[in-house]
């Protein structure tokens, strides 16, 4: 997955040799097929576009069932050079990409490979003492999808105290979860931004972007400026939201649900009549309530340190009429991280 500034009627050229770029992102079989047939030194990309709108989401035209080679922990005492050399051999990375992957913290995704190559690479790492996993896309897709939650409240189920919840949408509208059935909590701060550039004097010149929002808006910051003498109007908006996923595991059925709480879209009545809370304080309060009924609750808050793989789209560029808009959001990266972490802990727990 690569990003390039789109031009209508053109193809994108890579900054790195195409064979190296393809192999580094898990398309080794595609690289062999393309270059065996003497395809020119350019890699074609599809474009999501229609009249009057040119999108900046670029994806390879060749797709495959992918797995994400992930290192949870390196053996003690290994140098970055030793880790990079092992990655280069195991995943077919070029030395530069292998060096970058080795410098990143663990746990993390180090390479994306197709299904045929992932198993061998994973076994190669494990045979040398590396704690690693390779979650596949179909495994991540099989996990329960997040259900947005409007509010939570304590209730009684038989002789046990449980948490009731109300969905934003879907059926049934309400449900109940026992705190001890919460298998894992994944939380993080997501950011979204929008930058709009329009020409003054046009019908769109006075338009100020309302913002690109994911969930609620917490700590939103907005500003606009007129470029002097340029005839352009630039407006920008930045918003943040605290997000928390609760993975529910039934003793009989395994993982059954994923409940998602997003600050700004969650009624904090569970916390009582305390003063108005910030997004972080609200999620902290919900977590404290969960821990009151589940002392050994597993919580992961490592999203801020996570580097999403290249095929997770986080930016969007578009031109409509006389305005151009660039949007960026790491909400998709959090979706990926939440499922990836869930599979990681499942693998580690056996």
């Amino acid at each position: 997955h690569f990003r390039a500034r789109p031009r209508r009627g053109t193809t994108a050229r890579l900054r790195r040799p195409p064979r190296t770029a393809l192999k580094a992102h898990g398309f080794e079989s595609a690289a062999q097929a393309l270059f065996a047939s003497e395809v020119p030194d350019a890699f074609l990309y599809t474009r999501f576009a229609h009249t009057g709108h040119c999108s900046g989401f670029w994806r390879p035209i060749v797709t495959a069932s992918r797995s994400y080679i992930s290192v949870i922990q390196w053996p003690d005492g290994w140098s970055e050079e030793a880790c990079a050399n092992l990655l280069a051999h195991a995943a077919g990375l070029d030395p530069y990409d292998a060096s970058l992957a080795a410098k990143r913290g663990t746990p993390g995704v180090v390479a994306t490979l197709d299904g045929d190559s992932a198993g061998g690479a994973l076994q190669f790492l494990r045979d040398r003492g590396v704690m690693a996993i390779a979650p596949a896309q179909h495994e991540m897709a099989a996990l329960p999808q997040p259900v947005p939650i409007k509010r939570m409240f304590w209730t009684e189920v038989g002789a046990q105290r449980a948490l009731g919840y109300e969905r934003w949408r879907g059926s049934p509208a309400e449900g109940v979860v026992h705190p001890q059935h919460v298998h894992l909590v994944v939380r993080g701060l997501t950011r979204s931004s929008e930058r709009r550039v329009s020409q003054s004097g046009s019908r769109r010149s006075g338009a100020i972007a309302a913002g690109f929002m994911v969930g609620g808006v917490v700590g939103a910051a907005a500003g606009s400026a007129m470029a002097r003498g340029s005839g352009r109007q630039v407006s920008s908006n930045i918003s943040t939201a605290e997000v928390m996923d609760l993975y529910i595991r039934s003793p009989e059925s395994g993982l059954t649900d994923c409940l998602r709480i997003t600050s700004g879209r969650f009624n904090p009545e569970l916390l009582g009549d305390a003063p108005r809370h910030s997004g972080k304080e609200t999620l902290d309060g919900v977590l404290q309530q969960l821990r009151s009924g589940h002392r050994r609750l597993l919580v992961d808050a490592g999203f801020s340190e996570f580097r999403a793989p290249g095929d997770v789209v986080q930016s969007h560029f578009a031109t409509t009429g006389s305005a151009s808009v660039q949007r960026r959001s790491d909400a998709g990266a959090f979706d990926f991280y939440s499922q990836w972490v869930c599979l990681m802990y499942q693998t580690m727990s056996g």
Side-chain angles (χ1 to χ4, degrees):
H1 175 84
F2 299 89
R3 299 181 181 87
R5 196 170 185 84
R7 294 176 58 192
R8 299 184 184 183
T10 65
T11 60
R13 286 187 176 273
L14 304 180
R15 294 179 181 273
R16 292 188 296 170
R19 183 188 299 275
T20 301
L22 286 171
K23 289 175 65 177
H25 287 264
F27 293 93
E28 185 167 357
S29 59
Q32 294 172 353
L34 284 173
F35 292 102
S37 58
E38 298 182 354
V39 172
D41 190 18
F43 186 43
L44 303 180
Y45 287 76
T46 55
R47 179 176 62 201
F48 296 96
H50 54 78
T51 304
H53 179 90
C54 182
S55 170
F57 289 161
W58 299 76
R59 290 185 179 276
I61 59 174
V62 181
T63 60
S65 176
R66 293 177 239 175
S67 295
Y68 300 96
I69 305 299
S70 310
V71 173
I72 300 175
Q73 185 176 351
W74 293 106
D76 292 339
W78 277 34
S79 65
E80 287 184 359
E81 183 179 3
C83 296
N85 289 336
L86 188 63
L87 286 178
H89 284 86
L93 300 181
D94 63 40
Y96 177 74
D97 286 337
S99 176
L100 289 180
K103 289 179 180 179
R104 300 181 194 126
T106 56
V109 177
V110 295
T112 305
L113 301 179
D114 61 33
D116 296 335
S117 305
L122 178 63
Q123 193 59 49
F124 187 91
L125 292 171
R126 287 178 172 177
D127 288 346
R128 285 150 184 81
V130 180
M131 187 181 296
I133 59 173
Q137 288 180 326
H138 69 272
E139 293 176 313
M140 299 177 75
L143 290 174
Q145 296 302 302
V147 176
I149 297 303
K150 183 185 298 186
R151 67 187 183 99
M152 299 186 82
F153 50 89
W154 285 107
T155 186
E156 298 290 333
V157 178
Q160 291 185 318
R161 196 169 182 232
L163 276 169
Y165 60 87
E166 181 181 356
R167 302 168 181 249
W168 272 104
R169 58 181 179 273
S171 179
E174 293 189 353
V176 175
V177 58
H178 294 278
Q180 61 269 26
H181 291 170
V182 179
H183 166 65
L184 170 68
V185 175
V186 183
R187 63 179 299 183
L189 178 70
T190 62
R191 295 176 175 82
S192 301
S193 64
E194 178 183 273
R195 185 175 185 270
R196 180 183 294 268
V197 179
S198 57
Q199 297 294 327
S200 62
S202 69
R203 289 180 299 175
R204 298 179 181 270
S205 62
I208 302 297
F212 178 72
M213 297 181 290
V214 178
V217 178
V218 179
S224 63
M226 177 72 74
R228 297 176 180 240
S230 67
R232 295 192 309 163
Q233 188 174 40
V234 180
S235 61
S236 61
N237 185 79
I238 302 174
S239 61
T240 62
E242 293 274 352
V243 185
M244 186 162 70
D245 285 349
L246 314 180
Y247 285 93
I248 313 302
R249 179 189 288 276
S250 164
E252 300 81 18
S253 309
L255 282 178
T256 57
D257 290 292
C258 176
L259 308 181
R260 173 164 292 183
I261 299 173
T262 303
S263 61
R265 304 188 70 238
F266 180 75
N267 186 338
E269 66 178 76
L270 179 68
L271 309 183
D273 298 328
R276 184 178 179 88
H277 300 277
S278 68
K280 183 178 183 303
E281 291 171 339
T282 297
L283 267 62
D284 286 344
V286 173
L287 201 54
Q288 185 175 2
Q289 294 285 331
L290 285 171
R291 280 180 167 146
S292 68
H294 189 349
R295 298 293 182 182
R296 300 178 63 183
L297 184 64
L298 180 61
V299 180
D300 186 284
F303 175 64
S304 61
E305 305 296 326
F306 180 71
R307 181 185 177 92
D311 59 351
V312 178
V313 178
Q314 300 183 73
S315 62
H316 175 77
F317 178 83
T319 56
T320 54
S322 61
S324 62
V325 182
Q326 184 174 16
R327 297 186 179 97
R328 182 173 179 84
S329 172
D330 55 10
F334 180 81
D335 291 339
F336 178 93
Y337 178 77
S338 179
Q339 295 177 329
W340 177 79
V341 162
C342 182
L343 289 176
M344 181 183 72
Y345 283 114
Q346 279 189 310
T347 302
M348 292 174 62
S349 62

CSV table of all heavy atoms in Angstrom, one decimal, residues 99-130:
chain,number,residue,atom,x,y,z
A,99,SER,N,15.9,-3.1,8.9
A,99,SER,CA,16.5,-2.3,10.0
A,99,SER,C,15.4,-1.4,10.7
A,99,SER,O,15.4,-1.3,11.9
A,99,SER,CB,17.6,-1.5,9.4
A,99,SER,OG,18.2,-0.6,10.4
A,100,LEU,N,14.5,-0.8,9.9
A,100,LEU,CA,13.5,0.0,10.4
A,100,LEU,C,12.6,-0.8,11.3
A,100,LEU,O,12.2,-0.4,12.4
A,100,LEU,CB,12.7,0.7,9.3
A,100,LEU,CG,13.4,1.8,8.5
A,100,LEU,CD1,12.4,2.3,7.5
A,100,LEU,CD2,13.8,2.9,9.4
A,101,ALA,N,12.2,-2.0,10.9
A,101,ALA,CA,11.3,-2.9,11.6
A,101,ALA,C,11.9,-3.3,13.0
A,101,ALA,O,11.3,-3.4,14.0
A,101,ALA,CB,10.9,-4.1,10.8
A,102,ALA,N,13.2,-3.5,12.9
A,102,ALA,CA,13.9,-4.0,14.1
A,102,ALA,C,14.1,-2.9,15.2
A,102,ALA,O,14.1,-3.1,16.4
A,102,ALA,CB,15.3,-4.5,13.8
A,103,LYS,N,14.1,-1.6,14.7
A,103,LYS,CA,14.2,-0.5,15.6
A,103,LYS,C,12.9,-0.1,16.3
A,103,LYS,O,12.9,0.5,17.4
A,103,LYS,CB,14.7,0.7,14.8
A,103,LYS,CG,16.1,0.7,14.4
A,103,LYS,CD,16.5,1.9,13.6
A,103,LYS,CE,18.0,1.8,13.1
A,103,LYS,NZ,18.4,3.0,12.3
A,104,ARG,N,11.8,-0.6,15.8
A,104,ARG,CA,10.5,-0.3,16.4
A,104,ARG,C,10.4,-1.1,17.7
A,104,ARG,O,10.9,-2.2,17.8
A,104,ARG,CB,9.4,-0.5,15.4
A,104,ARG,CG,9.4,0.3,14.2
A,104,ARG,CD,8.3,0.0,13.3
A,104,ARG,NE,8.5,0.6,12.0
A,104,ARG,CZ,8.4,-0.1,10.8
A,104,ARG,NH1,8.1,-1.4,10.9
A,104,ARG,NH2,8.7,0.5,9.7
A,105,GLY,N,9.6,-0.6,18.5
A,105,GLY,CA,9.3,-1.4,19.8
A,105,GLY,C,8.5,-2.6,19.5
A,105,GLY,O,7.8,-2.8,18.5
A,106,THR,N,8.4,-3.5,20.5
A,106,THR,CA,7.6,-4.7,20.5
A,106,THR,C,6.5,-4.6,21.6
A,106,THR,O,6.7,-3.9,22.6
A,106,THR,CB,8.4,-5.9,20.7
A,106,THR,OG1,9.1,-5.8,21.9
A,106,THR,CG2,9.4,-6.1,19.5
A,107,PRO,N,5.4,-5.2,21.3
A,107,PRO,CA,5.0,-6.0,20.1
A,107,PRO,C,4.6,-5.1,19.0
A,107,PRO,O,4.3,-3.9,19.1
A,107,PRO,CB,3.7,-6.7,20.6
A,107,PRO,CG,3.1,-5.8,21.7
A,107,PRO,CD,4.3,-5.2,22.4
A,108,GLY,N,4.7,-5.6,17.8
A,108,GLY,CA,4.4,-4.8,16.6
A,108,GLY,C,4.4,-5.7,15.3
A,108,GLY,O,5.0,-6.8,15.3
A,109,VAL,N,3.8,-5.2,14.3
A,109,VAL,CA,3.8,-5.8,13.0
A,109,VAL,C,5.1,-5.5,12.2
A,109,VAL,O,5.4,-4.3,12.1
A,109,VAL,CB,2.6,-5.4,12.1
A,109,VAL,CG1,2.6,-6.0,10.7
A,109,VAL,CG2,1.3,-5.7,12.8
A,110,VAL,N,5.8,-6.5,11.8
A,110,VAL,CA,7.1,-6.3,11.1
A,110,VAL,C,7.0,-6.5,9.6
A,110,VAL,O,7.9,-6.0,8.8
A,110,VAL,CB,8.2,-7.1,11.7
A,110,VAL,CG1,8.5,-6.7,13.1
A,110,VAL,CG2,7.9,-8.6,11.6
A,111,ALA,N,6.0,-7.3,9.1
A,111,ALA,CA,5.9,-7.6,7.7
A,111,ALA,C,4.5,-8.1,7.4
A,111,ALA,O,3.8,-8.6,8.3
A,111,ALA,CB,6.9,-8.6,7.3
A,112,THR,N,4.1,-7.9,6.2
A,112,THR,CA,2.8,-8.4,5.7
A,112,THR,C,3.1,-9.4,4.5
A,112,THR,O,3.7,-9.0,3.5
A,112,THR,CB,1.9,-7.3,5.2
A,112,THR,OG1,1.8,-6.3,6.2
A,112,THR,CG2,0.6,-7.8,4.8
A,113,LEU,N,2.7,-10.6,4.7
A,113,LEU,CA,3.0,-11.7,3.7
A,113,LEU,C,1.7,-12.4,3.3
A,113,LEU,O,0.7,-12.4,4.0
A,113,LEU,CB,4.0,-12.7,4.3
A,113,LEU,CG,5.4,-12.2,4.7
A,113,LEU,CD1,6.2,-13.3,5.3
A,113,LEU,CD2,6.1,-11.5,3.6
A,114,ASP,N,1.7,-13.0,2.1
A,114,ASP,CA,0.6,-13.8,1.7
A,114,ASP,C,0.6,-15.1,2.4
A,114,ASP,O,1.5,-15.5,3.1
A,114,ASP,CB,0.6,-14.0,0.2
A,114,ASP,CG,1.8,-14.7,-0.3
A,114,ASP,OD1,2.3,-15.6,0.4
A,114,ASP,OD2,2.2,-14.5,-1.5
A,115,GLY,N,-0.6,-15.8,2.3
A,115,GLY,CA,-0.7,-17.0,3.1
A,115,GLY,C,0.3,-18.1,2.9
A,115,GLY,O,0.7,-18.8,3.8
A,116,ASP,N,0.8,-18.2,1.7
A,116,ASP,CA,1.8,-19.2,1.4
A,116,ASP,C,3.1,-19.0,2.0
A,116,ASP,O,3.8,-19.9,2.4
A,116,ASP,CB,2.0,-19.3,-0.2
A,116,ASP,CG,0.8,-19.7,-0.9
A,116,ASP,OD1,-0.1,-20.4,-0.2
A,116,ASP,OD2,0.6,-19.4,-2.1
A,117,SER,N,3.5,-17.7,2.2
A,117,SER,CA,4.8,-17.3,2.8
A,117,SER,C,4.8,-17.1,4.3
A,117,SER,O,5.8,-17.3,4.9
A,117,SER,CB,5.4,-16.1,2.1
A,117,SER,OG,5.4,-16.2,0.7
A,118,ALA,N,3.6,-16.8,4.8
A,118,ALA,CA,3.6,-16.4,6.2
A,118,ALA,C,3.9,-17.5,7.2
A,118,ALA,O,4.6,-17.4,8.2
A,118,ALA,CB,2.2,-15.9,6.5
A,119,GLY,N,3.4,-18.8,6.9
A,119,GLY,CA,3.7,-19.9,7.7
A,119,GLY,C,5.1,-20.2,7.9
A,119,GLY,O,5.6,-20.4,9.0
A,120,GLY,N,5.9,-20.2,6.7
A,120,GLY,CA,7.3,-20.5,6.8
A,120,GLY,C,8.1,-19.4,7.5
A,120,GLY,O,9.0,-19.7,8.3
A,121,ALA,N,7.7,-18.1,7.3
A,121,ALA,CA,8.4,-17.0,8.0
A,121,ALA,C,8.2,-17.1,9.5
A,121,ALA,O,9.1,-16.9,10.3
A,121,ALA,CB,7.9,-15.7,7.4
A,122,LEU,N,6.9,-17.4,9.9
A,122,LEU,CA,6.6,-17.5,11.3
A,122,LEU,C,7.4,-18.6,12.0
A,122,LEU,O,8.0,-18.4,13.1
A,122,LEU,CB,5.1,-17.7,11.5
A,122,LEU,CG,4.6,-17.9,12.9
A,122,LEU,CD1,4.9,-16.6,13.7
A,122,LEU,CD2,3.1,-18.2,13.0
A,123,GLN,N,7.4,-19.8,11.3
A,123,GLN,CA,8.2,-20.9,11.9
A,123,GLN,C,9.7,-20.6,12.0
A,123,GLN,O,10.4,-21.0,12.9
A,123,GLN,CB,7.9,-22.2,11.1
A,123,GLN,CG,8.4,-23.4,11.7
A,123,GLN,CD,7.7,-23.7,13.1
A,123,GLN,OE1,6.5,-23.6,13.2
A,123,GLN,NE2,8.5,-24.0,14.1
A,124,PHE,N,10.2,-19.9,11.0
A,124,PHE,CA,11.6,-19.5,10.9
A,124,PHE,C,12.0,-18.7,12.2
A,124,PHE,O,13.0,-18.9,12.8
A,124,PHE,CB,11.9,-18.8,9.6
A,124,PHE,CG,13.4,-18.4,9.4
A,124,PHE,CD1,14.2,-19.3,8.7
A,124,PHE,CD2,13.9,-17.3,9.9
A,124,PHE,CE1,15.5,-19.0,8.5
A,124,PHE,CE2,15.2,-17.0,9.7
A,124,PHE,CZ,16.1,-17.8,9.0
A,125,LEU,N,11.1,-17.7,12.5
A,125,LEU,CA,11.3,-16.9,13.7
A,125,LEU,C,11.2,-17.7,15.0
A,125,LEU,O,12.1,-17.5,15.9
A,125,LEU,CB,10.3,-15.7,13.7
A,125,LEU,CG,10.4,-14.7,12.6
A,125,LEU,CD1,9.3,-13.7,12.6
A,125,LEU,CD2,11.7,-13.9,12.7
A,126,ARG,N,10.2,-18.5,15.1
A,126,ARG,CA,10.0,-19.2,16.3
A,126,ARG,C,11.1,-20.2,16.6
A,126,ARG,O,11.5,-20.4,17.7
A,126,ARG,CB,8.6,-19.9,16.3
A,126,ARG,CG,7.4,-19.0,16.4
A,126,ARG,CD,6.1,-19.7,16.3
A,126,ARG,NE,5.0,-18.8,16.6
A,126,ARG,CZ,3.7,-19.2,16.6
A,126,ARG,NH1,3.4,-20.5,16.2
A,126,ARG,NH2,2.8,-18.4,16.9
A,127,ASP,N,11.6,-20.8,15.5
A,127,ASP,CA,12.7,-21.8,15.7
A,127,ASP,C,14.0,-21.1,16.2
A,127,ASP,O,14.8,-21.8,16.8
A,127,ASP,CB,13.1,-22.4,14.3
A,127,ASP,CG,12.0,-23.4,13.9
A,127,ASP,OD1,11.2,-23.8,14.7
A,127,ASP,OD2,12.0,-23.8,12.7
A,128,ARG,N,14.1,-19.8,16.1
A,128,ARG,CA,15.2,-19.1,16.6
A,128,ARG,C,14.9,-18.3,17.9
A,128,ARG,O,15.6,-17.4,18.3
A,128,ARG,CB,15.8,-18.2,15.5
A,128,ARG,CG,16.5,-19.0,14.4
A,128,ARG,CD,16.4,-18.3,13.1
A,128,ARG,NE,17.1,-19.2,12.1
A,128,ARG,CZ,16.5,-20.3,11.5
A,128,ARG,NH1,15.2,-20.6,11.9
A,128,ARG,NH2,17.1,-21.0,10.7
A,129,GLY,N,13.9,-18.7,18.6
A,129,GLY,CA,13.6,-18.2,19.9
A,129,GLY,C,12.8,-16.9,19.9
A,129,GLY,O,12.6,-16.3,21.0
A,130,VAL,N,12.3,-16.4,18.8
A,130,VAL,CA,11.5,-15.2,18.7
A,130,VAL,C,10.0,-15.5,19.1
A,130,VAL,O,9.5,-16.4,18.5
A,130,VAL,CB,11.6,-14.5,17.3
A,130,VAL,CG1,10.8,-13.2,17.3
A,130,VAL,CG2,13.1,-14.3,17.0
